[in-house]
Amino acid sequence: MAHILIIDDDEILAGLFQDYLEGEKFTVVTVHTGEEGLQLALNGRFDMVILDVMLPDMSGNDILKQLRQQSNVPVLMFTAKGDDVDRILGLEAGADDYVPKPCTPRELIARIKAILRRTESTYSQGSDHCIEIGPLQLWPQQRKAHWHQQSLELTSTEFNLIETLARQAGQVVSKNTLSEKALGRPLARFDRSIDVHISSIRHKLGQREDGHDWIQTVRGQGYQLIK
């Protein structure tokens, strides 16, 4: 039974979503201010945080940035429908995915289940052998990553992405496959989520000695992790 934190100042909508989630056997806590939500999110009791971009006391993106300094708990952002700027800023700040408002409870639950499913069971079959590609080491069951023998801090979605690329290192992986593996949903038209997450991973990995990125873009096809 997953524990979900909703941070949203729309009390009616948040209450509706809480009722639906509890009907799906989730344990839900709802708060309506950013400050209270941040403190609860940092206590580590939640399996996922649902965070509205627009809050009365703090920006959702500012909350997310502070949260990411101490926690990699999956975060699903509420963004204004059609507002690409909010979506990209949220993803760059470390959100795992977003859902536009207004949305249906069914869509919200589908997104939550997809993220939790990828977080809890990504490639969890069998023993937790280490995947090693150059300076990268991954332990899928532990969801632990090392880069040049140092701990590599990744969000849940970033871990799913780099694991998928590592398992097919040297091969091109399509954006749709990455979306299915990392987000648990098909890639939507004009959706830049994968691009933003890949950009974040590239920043954390740095560049190769030859000045190129470890994750290469293959135009019109997808991405490739260099062996």
Side-chain angles (χ1 to χ4, degrees):
M1 182 181 295
H3 289 67
I4 308 293
L5 173 64
I6 299 176
I7 308 173
D8 192 338
D9 64 324
D10 188 331
E11 297 186 20
I12 295 176
L13 185 61
L16 173 65
F17 287 145
Q18 178 169 348
D19 289 343
Y20 270 87
L21 289 171
E22 289 175 342
E24 293 288 325
K25 309 303 181 184
F26 292 103
T27 299
V28 183
V29 173
T30 300
V31 296
H32 306 297
T33 66
E35 183 176 357
E36 184 180 5
L38 178 60
Q39 293 305 312
L40 283 173
L42 286 172
N43 71 20
R45 293 191 302 109
F46 295 96
D47 300 296
M48 176 176 287
V49 175
I50 301 171
L51 175 61
D52 191 14
V53 171
M54 301 295 294
L55 292 164
D57 57 334
M58 299 175 67
S59 160
N61 289 327
D62 288 340
I63 293 170
L64 182 55
K65 289 176 183 177
Q66 293 185 52
L67 179 60
R68 280 291 173 253
Q69 293 175 7
Q70 302 181 49
S71 172
N72 284 325
V73 62
V75 175
L76 180 65
M77 297 286 286
F78 277 140
T79 65
K81 192 173 183 66
D83 194 333
D84 291 335
V85 173
D86 277 346
R87 295 176 186 179
I88 292 173
L89 288 175
L91 293 170
E92 289 178 339
D96 290 271
D97 202 359
Y98 62 85
V99 63
K101 291 174 70 174
C103 69
T104 65
R106 183 184 298 274
E107 180 181 5
L108 178 63
I109 289 171
R111 292 291 182 93
I112 291 170
K113 288 184 175 180
I115 293 174
L116 290 176
R117 185 166 57 247
R118 304 310 307 171
T119 300
E120 294 169 356
S121 62
T122 300
Y123 302 110
S124 62
Q125 302 90 341
S127 60
D128 193 23
H129 66 282
C130 176
I131 301 171
E132 191 164 358
I133 306 295
L136 174 68
Q137 293 177 303
L138 298 173
W139 290 267
Q141 285 190 350
Q142 299 177 60
R143 300 187 69 76
K144 182 175 70 173
H146 281 177
W147 181 248
H148 290 287
Q149 305 300 318
Q150 300 295 318
S151 178
L152 179 62
E153 295 299 324
L154 299 167
T155 68
S156 172
T157 297
E158 288 171 356
F159 189 95
N160 294 340
L161 282 169
I162 201 167
E163 181 185 356
T164 301
L165 289 168
R167 288 181 179 274
Q168 301 182 61
Q171 303 176 43
V172 180
V173 184
S174 71
K175 288 185 182 181
N176 192 64
T177 296
L178 290 171
S179 185
E180 292 276 10
K181 295 291 187 182
L183 302 177
R185 59 177 174 83
L187 185 70
R189 191 179 184 188
F190 304 123
D191 189 343
R192 293 187 57 197
S193 300
I194 298 301
D195 301 317
V196 177
H197 288 305
I198 291 292
S199 176
S200 176
I201 298 172
R202 281 173 169 162
H203 178 73
K204 293 177 181 181
L205 299 183
Q207 292 186 322
R208 295 162 52 91
E209 292 182 358
D210 61 7
H212 292 94
D213 292 319
W214 286 91
I215 300 176
Q216 303 260 314
T217 301
V218 181
R219 187 174 298 276
Q221 297 185 51
Y223 291 102
Q224 175 185 18
L225 177 65
I226 303 301
K227 285 187 175 181

